[in-house]
Amino acid sequence: MSVQLIVGAQWGDEGKGQIVDRLSENAEVVVRYQGGANAGHTVYVNGEKFILHLLPSGILHREVLCVIGNGLVFDPAAFFEELGFLKENNISVDGRLKISDRVHIIFPYHKKLDQARESKAGGNKIGTTGRGIGPAYVDKFNRNGIRLAEMLDDYSLKQRLEQNLDLANRILVDDYHEPPLSFVSVFEESKKFADRLKPFAADTAIILNDAWKSEKNILLEGAQGALLDIDFGTYPFVTSSNPTCGGAVTGTGLPASAIEDVLGVMKAYCTRVGGGPFPSEEENETGERLREAGQEYGATTGRPRRCGWFDVVSARYSARINGLNAIALTKLDVLDSFEKIKICTSYTTADGELTEFPANLRVLQDCKPNYIEVDGWQTEISTCRSFGDLPEKAQKYVGMLEELSGVPVRYISVGVEREQTIQK
Ligand code: IMP
């Protein structure tokens, strides 16, 4: 398989880091294509926990070339913090980390604007990660963003930063009653970052197309998930990028025809962090049990995740818009203790039953889940190393998810360690 895409197929936090880490064993290049340091990809290596926010999870494999594609919004402060963390763990990135010179930069005012907007939004709070993602993409699409290429050019950096900071300060002061940021300190800090970023900057579309043409194994690592996609997610409770498969094309410079396989990562149940509709949410003891068993706390913000049952309606939707070839089903072991497990197969609304994921937020907010219920296996599965090792009831549950979502399951994870991801 030369170019494989791994996408989050629910609301993010599906365990993509673990799957990418496992698949990186055979990869030569691993690429992030959208989002930024809002992601929190958790990988366990020999009992040690690594949380990556901006770097591709493949960085933990010492031979892999890692690329930060043009589709991200890139926070230099977060980047150097992460590099420091890797250095402390004796993981060298020398010569094997490239950043697109077309990537848009997140400046301190983007983070301030994000946080100020959220704190003043009242009932309209999105529950963002506060990492400046939305404001940086707004600048990109407003055509006044600053890319790495401009950041590396003192003249362009100064000129654009002056304009942008002036505008940002006006919003911060007038609309949000926050103190303005100093141009001198933002500019000086940015110049220092620029000097340190120079060795990493490259036209990564050339690197990736060359790698593709020479049939190298390339993994495209999505962040967030399909239901947080700016076009297909539960708008406006979404992130500001395209985690779905289209983002992998525009965010890397690889052609659509290069992608041979799309693997969707889904948890064996559902979680969501931040605001917005979640039809199969269990705001009760069941949700609590899922949260505790799955340790469902945000890797980036530490916020408790909202928990609920697997939702086939959104899984089929996600499979369609991503063209999923297979599913990596994560955290199946979290369901070990449940006597009964529910699967949401349709929604009830004021206008009747819905089997497709609706666009209208008000409709989605009113959806009540219709469930089928299956028997739990009530035994520990963390030591299973093949599909055949799983209890019959767990095999049946996996089979039902495949049948109902219309996509085969290729991997199943029964724990956080590398060897606990089994191939079906
Ligand atoms: P933003 O991406 O920080 O603007 O946040 C927008 C929405 O996406 C919020 O509901 C966040 O909680 C959610 N979000 C962003 N990144 C992640 C992620 O990596 N996992 C899960 N949710 C995320």
Side-chain angles (χ1 to χ4, degrees):
M1 192 61 63
S2 68
V3 182
Q4 186 179 30
L5 170 59
I6 291 140
V7 291
Q10 295 163 325
W11 276 284
D13 305 323
E14 301 92 348
K16 292 177 291 293
Q18 187 181 354
I19 298 297
V20 172
D21 174 66
R22 161 80 199 273
L23 297 177
S24 294
E25 279 164 20
N26 300 317
E28 289 158 289
V29 189
V30 180
V31 192
R32 276 276 312 265
Y33 59 84
Q34 47 67 234
N38 49 349
H41 293 173
T42 307
V43 181
Y44 286 81
V45 185
N46 302 325
E48 216 177 318
K49 185 176 180 179
F50 292 85
I51 301 178
L52 297 162
H53 298 289
L54 191 52
L55 294 174
S57 305
I59 203 80
L60 301 177
H61 289 262
R62 289 159 203 271
E63 305 301 318
V64 170
L65 170 71
C66 286
V67 174
I68 292 182
N70 58 281
L72 280 88
V73 280
F74 178 86
D75 178 355
F79 174 74
F80 285 113
E81 196 181 319
E82 211 154 292
L83 280 199
F85 166 73
L86 289 180
K87 205 168 169 192
E88 276 166 30
N89 286 281
N90 299 317
I91 296 170
S92 161
V93 301
D94 286 351
R96 63 181 192 101
L97 178 57
K98 293 289 167 202
I99 306 169
S100 167
D101 53 9
R102 289 182 168 84
V103 80
H104 279 254
I105 304 295
I106 295 185
F107 288 93
Y109 52 87
H110 291 124
K111 289 185 258 190
K112 282 260 181 231
L113 287 169
D114 189 2
Q115 291 155 13
R117 184 196 176 278
E118 282 287 281
S119 71
K120 302 278 175 358
N124 295 325
K125 216 188 262 291
I126 290 168
T128 72
T129 58
R131 301 289 163 111
I133 305 297
Y137 277 117
V138 166
D139 278 358
K140 170 175 174 171
F141 286 96
N142 202 23
R143 293 160 296 183
N144 62 336
I146 301 174
R147 303 173 306 166
L148 181 55
E150 284 85 45
M151 194 186 188
L152 298 179
D153 166 6
D154 263 12
Y155 176 79
S156 300
L157 176 65
K158 186 161 187 286
Q159 204 192 30
R160 299 225 185 165
L161 206 51
E162 254 165 3
Q163 278 171 8
N164 288 2
L165 190 58
D166 186 46
L167 202 64
N169 275 340
R170 268 191 276 157
I171 301 171
L172 282 172
V173 174
D174 296 347
D175 296 352
Y176 298 130
H177 313 296
E178 295 281 340
L181 296 179
S182 134
F183 170 76
V184 176
S185 76
V186 175
F187 179 63
E188 289 305 324
E189 185 191 53
S190 303
K191 265 193 358 175
K192 281 188 201 141
F193 279 142
D195 288 341
R196 295 172 70 194
L197 286 170
K198 214 170 259 167
F200 299 102
D203 185 335
T204 51
I206 295 180
I207 298 175
L208 293 175
N209 276 275
D210 286 350
W212 169 50
K213 284 183 185 141
S214 44
E215 298 193 354
K216 291 212 164 131
N217 282 328
I218 303 174
L219 279 188
L220 307 178
E221 175 180 356
Q224 290 82 49
L227 304 174
L228 288 174
D229 187 277
I230 187 82
D231 284 280
F232 293 105
T234 52
Y235 191 88
F237 294 95
V238 291
T239 192
S240 299
S241 67
N242 287 115
T244 47
C245 64
V249 176
T250 54
T252 59
L254 279 168
S257 56
I259 300 172
E260 288 166 41
D261 185 50
V262 188
L263 179 67
V265 186
M266 300 190 191
K267 268 180 199 162
Y269 49 98
C270 275
T271 64
R272 161 160 217 176
V273 63
F278 176 4
S280 65
E281 180 173 16
E282 292 283 316
E283 281 185 274
N284 52 30
E285 201 192 316
T286 303
E288 274 298 319
R289 253 178 97 182
L290 286 167
R291 184 176 309 117
E292 286 318 306
Q295 279 304 291
E296 296 295 354
Y297 296 91
T300 300
T301 58
R303 291 178 290 179
R305 296 182 185 135
R306 301 155 60 192
C307 298
W309 296 114
F310 191 93
D311 178 356
V312 167
V313 182
S314 66
R316 281 195 293 105
Y317 175 70
S318 190
R320 183 183 316 124
I321 59 178
N322 283 299
L324 297 187
N325 297 107
I327 293 170
L329 192 69
T330 58
K331 300 186 108 169
L332 186 63
D333 56 304
V334 170
L335 301 179
D336 281 358
S337 70
F338 285 84
E339 313 77 53
K340 296 281 179 195
I341 297 169
K342 290 184 182 175
I343 304 171
C344 169
T345 51
S346 67
Y347 307 143
T348 295
T349 68
D351 294 326
E353 191 186 14
L354 268 190
T355 53
E356 295 298 347
F357 204 69
N360 186 327
L361 191 78
R362 284 201 315 125
V363 174
L364 192 57
Q365 265 160 343
D366 285 343
C367 283
K368 302 277 172 291
N370 296 319
Y371 289 122
I372 51 172
E373 198 174 68
V374 298
D375 288 336
W377 42 95
Q378 297 199 273
T379 173
E380 210 181 298
I381 60 170
S382 61
T383 54
C384 294
R385 292 292 174 269
S386 71
F387 187 66
D389 286 348
L390 290 174
E392 210 174 292
K393 284 176 179 155
Q395 292 188 20
K396 195 169 157 209
Y397 179 65
V398 173
M400 283 183 81
L401 299 190
E402 288 183 309
E403 198 182 310
L404 292 166
S405 59
V407 185
V409 168
R410 190 183 296 161
Y411 300 100
I412 298 164
S413 80
V414 296
V416 296
E417 287 292 339
R418 280 179 175 165
E419 65 277 10
Q420 287 176 305
T421 296
I422 33 190
Q423 183 149 9
K424 181 165 175 275

